[in-house]
Amino acid sequence: MTEHTVRILSPDEHPSASALFWDSLHLPPPSDEDWARAAAMQQPGRTLGVFDPALIGTARSFDGELTVPGGRRVPLAAVTGVGVRADRTRRGALTAMMRFQLTDLAGRGVQIAGLYASEGGIYGRFGYGVGTVSKSCAVDRHRARLRPEVPSGGDVELLPVQRARDQLAEAYASLPHTRPGMMTRPPYWWAGFPGSMHRHAGPMTAALHHGEHGVDGFAVYFVDHESGGDAVLHVTSLHAAHGRAFAGLWRFLLTVDLVDRIKAGMRPYDEPVELLFEDPRCCRITGVEDGLWLRLVDVPAALAARRYYGGPAESVVIEVTDPLLDNNSGRYRVSADGAEPTGEPAQLRLDVATLSMLYLGTWRASRLAGVGRIEVLDPGTPTTADRLFGTRLAAWCGTFF
Ligand SMILES: CC(C)(COP(=O)(O)OP(=O)(O)OC[C@H]1O[C@@H](n2cnc3c(N)ncnc32)[C@H](O)[C@@H]1OP(=O)(O)O)[C@@H](O)C(=O)NCCC(=O)NCCS
């Protein structure tokens, strides 16, 4: 292993770190506009560099809040901008940064870290697990007829996305965070909007849905052509305060002319888009993918913050191991009354990455035990844990970073 030094970069070092990150993703060199955006996305004190002694890797994070089961919002660090120079990979540079970052975040009072992984094999070793799962769907616009009972009402206003940023930010902040896994979008996130990853020829449009009490939902989309010539409307974001706004936005999207298909990615796993249509098969589920990866940074605080379900007499004692953040290792008693450290014997044993998968209710304890991610010390307790950790609505983040 190479000797690495990790430290927080000063603002004048951010451009080289951003360039390194872009290069690691094989993206074309940043434009002037990209540079300005990249600068505004950096939360001071949160961009790391790893040196050998030259700068060979970087990672950053920004603060937000994550909605947890029961509706509380807890301090979240959104981890992003991770890259190591291609000629210096597999020598421990990322490992050094992850160790530094997790210790730093724990010291800052962050309870949970989250990220979107470029590859599934990278982050499990650092205690991250798949926290939300989302689906992608494609609607054949020529076949799609809304069922007559689908709610109607409200009006849609279109704006070029660059002019809509403030209104979208205001609308997003006012929408209820109905699902566990949703996060706040701080200015460091909006500085990157609409995102340099979405490179396409056509304009990007914001559709604001106005309901009885003002904006109650929005969609962001662009249209491009697939190699076969079909015009595809890509929905990059769709948020609605309630079913009427959700239906209203889809009703509008179906009316956009010169479109053959509507594709929506990163949708909640249990969102019933296909049930809007007379023929549900005009909406194909084209993929199911991991969404937000989570890492509990402060296990006692994060466990105490969420709500548990199950019956009043039900409880389970879990033993958590965390090789990177020692304070997290220990036993916790979880019941409908909450979760707290305990000296009682463990019934289920799991590592912090598995706990992070259980946390938002995306995975069931019995399933995780079945694939060897949870060690069962007391038979019968996985199904109790299923009821305690399970949630009514599927967890979903809906904010890419
Ligand atoms: C992913 C990346 C940051 C890893 O950096 P790195 O410095 O090579 O990682 P490390 O040397 O610290 O590797 C730590 C461990 O993870 C493994 N690992 C690293 N990258 C991996 C990958 N892409 N897939 C599977 N395992 C990986 C290593 O083999 C090593 O395993 P070990 O501890 O058993 O030896 C780097 O390859 C990179 O920049 N990739 C391109 C950009 C990218 O994908 N960034 C992440 C955006 S989310």
Side-chain angles (χ1 to χ4, degrees):
M1 275 275 162
T2 316
E3 196 57 38
H4 292 114
T5 313
V6 182
R7 63 171 171 80
I8 293 168
L9 298 180
S10 57
D12 58 310
E13 294 171 302
H14 290 170
S16 3
S18 296
L20 194 158
F21 167 62
W22 280 61
D23 201 43
S24 78
L25 290 184
H26 313 302
L27 290 172
S31 64
D32 289 349
E33 195 194 330
D34 292 330
W35 279 125
R37 195 188 280 147
M41 287 162 69
Q42 319 269 338
Q43 180 168 340
R46 298 293 282 275
T47 303
L48 305 181
V50 53
F51 296 81
D52 80 343
L55 177 69
I56 59 155
T58 183
R60 66 181 176 86
S61 65
F62 60 87
D63 287 326
E65 287 181 334
L66 183 81
T67 299
V68 302
R72 282 209 190 114
R73 294 183 185 185
V74 307
L76 166 81
V79 172
T80 183
V82 178
V84 170
R85 239 171 64 180
D87 59 351
R88 292 292 186 278
T89 53
R90 309 301 180 270
R91 299 164 198 209
L94 177 66
T95 306
M97 279 195 293
M98 287 283 117
R99 283 178 181 279
F100 185 102
Q101 187 180 55
L102 284 171
T103 309
D104 182 58
L105 295 178
R108 291 174 190 270
V110 166
Q111 290 184 18
I112 298 181
L115 55 78
Y116 285 87
S118 61
E119 291 185 90
I122 304 174
Y123 294 101
R125 72 196 73 241
F126 307 118
Y128 285 86
V130 174
T132 70
V133 170
S134 34
K135 69 179 177 190
S136 304
C137 61
V139 176
D140 179 342
R141 181 175 164 262
H142 302 299
R143 275 173 62 198
R145 301 267 173 283
L146 289 177
R147 289 169 43 251
E149 306 82 5
V150 167
S152 58
D155 202 15
V156 166
E157 175 195 9
L158 288 190
L159 289 171
V161 85
Q162 289 76 4
R163 280 200 3 236
R165 193 160 84 180
D166 291 350
Q167 283 177 72
L168 291 174
E170 201 180 311
Y172 184 80
S174 70
L175 292 178
H177 286 205
T178 41
R179 289 179 183 269
M182 291 184 72
M183 61 180 276
T184 52
R185 293 178 169 181
Y188 299 110
W189 187 87
W190 284 106
F193 181 81
S196 38
M197 307 283 176
H198 299 297
R199 287 177 186 271
H200 49 85
M204 211 162 188
T205 305
L208 300 178
H209 189 269
H210 292 266
E212 240 174 283
H213 306 291
V215 176
D216 55 8
F218 63 84
V220 176
Y221 68 88
F222 66 91
V223 178
D224 71 2
H225 289 83
E226 289 191 336
S227 50
D230 279 0
V232 179
L233 186 154
H234 296 266
V235 181
T236 63
S237 184
L238 190 151
H239 289 272
H242 42 67
R244 281 188 314 287
F246 175 70
L249 285 164
W250 272 100
R251 190 181 288 281
F252 162 73
L253 293 170
L254 291 165
T255 66
V256 179
D257 283 334
L258 306 179
V259 167
D260 298 301
R261 241 185 333 280
I262 302 173
K263 287 188 173 177
M266 279 183 52
R267 301 309 307 159
Y269 186 63
D270 59 355
E271 185 176 77
V273 187
E274 62 274 41
L275 300 187
L276 293 171
F277 307 111
E278 282 180 358
D279 172 4
R281 285 199 197 165
C282 70
C283 172
R284 268 185 318 116
I285 306 305
T286 52
V288 173
E289 52 275 320
D290 51 276
L292 187 69
W293 287 62
L294 282 191
R295 206 288 180 200
L296 301 195
V297 175
D298 183 338
V299 167
L303 280 180
R306 69 151 281 182
R307 181 177 166 194
Y308 301 91
Y309 304 93
E314 289 190 306
S315 71
V316 65
V317 176
I318 59 173
E319 182 173 308
V320 180
T321 51
D322 186 344
L324 293 181
L325 295 173
D326 255 2
N327 288 347
N328 287 331
S329 296
R331 275 169 273 157
Y332 302 87
R333 186 170 193 281
V334 180
S335 72
D337 292 335
E340 52 186 22
T342 180
E344 294 169 60
Q347 295 168 306
L348 299 174
R349 187 177 288 144
L350 66 171
D351 62 18
V352 68
T354 306
L355 180 64
S356 303
M357 296 172 74
L358 205 55
Y359 186 72
L360 293 180
T362 294
W363 305 96
R364 292 188 169 271
S366 51
R367 299 279 183 226
L368 293 169
V371 295
R373 292 209 62 136
I374 294 182
E375 189 184 343
V376 181
L377 306 168
D378 183 352
T381 45
T383 48
T384 309
D386 288 351
R387 287 189 289 279
L388 288 166
F389 282 89
T391 56
R392 194 172 52 86
L393 284 174
W396 177 64
C397 181
T399 298
F400 185 78
F401 52 88

